[in-house]
Amino acid sequence: QKEVEQDPGPLSVPEGAIVSLNCTYSNSAFQYFMWYRQYSRKGPELLMYTYSSGNKEDGRFTAQVDKSSKYISLFIRDSQPSDSATYLCAFNAGGTSYGKLTFGQGTILTVHP
Amino acid sequence: GAVVSQHPSWVICKSGTSVKIECRSLDFQATTMFWYRQFPKQSLMLMATSNEGSKATYEQGVEKDKFLINHASLTLSTLTVTSAHPEDSSFYICSARDRLGTDTQYFGPGTRLTVL
């Protein structure tokens, strides 16, 4: 079983739609949960960072973590064509491995006008 | 926000040559930098953790003699791909940990290496 499972998509939605991106994980040691956005041929950009179960909102983005189910989600409201990118979930166990990130496969999102 | 740069952004080299990639944190100090490799349509795979002033820690399966990492200062880490071969062609991305600020990782823009 992979440590992280992420639906690679691709996902295509019309402008203004609500987008839901999901990852499941199996490593109980993961304590920190992140979402990154990566445009083609660019490095990942941190979107959301959280370490507790529940929801965290930042503008049009909401990150949701359910530690009991080992499931995290990223919701994008009022999606825009500029949101078209690959979205990566990432996890870290903290402690001595603090900073070492385990990434999901990435979901390719296209928002069309 | 924190900025991490990489140089070069792309490089083409002949098989058997060595290539050096630089990673710099421009506006913060990074005691730890990380090197990742990303193949087309795949996710990032951590290659090694680079700590300033000490030897890098390599992930399982990564040859330390082939991928030489030096982290000589708080703002610079280098990755040298020695005796490069076509299978080393990939997108190499570094990240730097902002130890004094948010303690999160910021990624560089990546270096695309093509070995002919």
Side-chain angles (χ1 to χ4, degrees), chain B residues 37-58:
Chain B
R37 181 165 52 184
Q38 186 177 34
F39 291 105
K41 299 189 184 299
Q42 295 187 28
S43 192
L44 289 81
M45 296 298 294
L46 180 65
M47 298 175 65
T49 302
S50 165
N51 293 297
E52 186 263 338
S54 63
K55 290 184 179 180
T57 303
Y58 291 81

Side-chain angles (χ1 to χ4, degrees), chain A residues 38 41 43 98-100 103-104, chain B residues 38 43 59 97 105 108 112:
Chain A
Q38 185 178 24
R41 299 178 183 271
Y98 189 81
K100 292 175 62 173
F103 284 90
Chain B
Q38 186 177 34
S43 192
E59 295 299 301
R97 180 180 165 196
Q105 283 188 47
R112 182 158 302 281

Side-chain angles (χ1 to χ4, degrees), chain A residues 49-106:
Chain A
Y49 172 91
T50 185
Y51 51 85
S52 58
S53 283
N55 293 349
K56 181 178 180 180
E57 192 173 316
D58 184 0
R60 297 186 294 111
F61 299 92
T62 299
Q64 187 176 81
V65 174
D66 183 344
K67 287 187 179 181
S68 61
S69 300
K70 296 189 178 63
Y71 187 90
I72 69 170
S73 298
L74 177 70
F75 298 96
I76 307 174
R77 291 185 300 280
D78 188 26
S79 56
Q80 303 295 310
S82 58
D83 294 328
S84 298
T86 297
Y87 289 80
L88 299 154
C89 57
F91 302 80
N92 176 253
T96 56
S97 64
Y98 189 81
K100 292 175 62 173
L101 300 181
T102 301
F103 284 90
Q105 187 177 354

Side-chain angles (χ1 to χ4, degrees), chain B residues 45-101:
Chain B
M45 296 298 294
L46 180 65
M47 298 175 65
T49 302
S50 165
N51 293 297
E52 186 263 338
S54 63
K55 290 184 179 180
T57 303
Y58 291 81
E59 295 299 301
Q60 192 173 11
V62 178
E63 299 176 59
K64 63 179 181 181
D65 294 330
K66 181 168 184 63
F67 299 99
L68 301 179
I69 292 172
N70 182 275
H71 192 160
S73 77
L74 286 171
T75 60
L76 173 64
S77 176
T78 60
L79 167 69
T80 301
V81 183
T82 62
S83 186
H85 291 283
E87 57 266 27
D88 298 324
S89 298
S90 186
F91 194 49
Y92 291 87
I93 305 175
C94 73
S95 70
R97 180 180 165 196
D98 179 3
R99 69 184 183 108
L100 295 178

Side-chain angles (χ1 to χ4, degrees), chain B residues 5-63:
Chain B
S5 70
Q6 278 185 244
H7 177 81
S9 56
W10 59 271
V11 57
I12 301 174
C13 69
K14 292 182 179 179
S15 184
T17 61
S18 294
V19 175
K20 180 185 283 188
I21 302 170
E22 292 185 348
C23 176
R24 293 181 185 272
S25 57
L26 297 185
D27 50 3
F28 66 96
Q29 293 183 329
T31 51
T32 305
M33 290 184 172
F34 302 88
W35 287 95
Y36 294 83
R37 181 165 52 184
Q38 186 177 34
F39 291 105
K41 299 189 184 299
Q42 295 187 28
S43 192
L44 289 81
M45 296 298 294
L46 180 65
M47 298 175 65
T49 302
S50 165
N51 293 297
E52 186 263 338
S54 63
K55 290 184 179 180
T57 303
Y58 291 81
E59 295 299 301
Q60 192 173 11
V62 178
E63 299 176 59

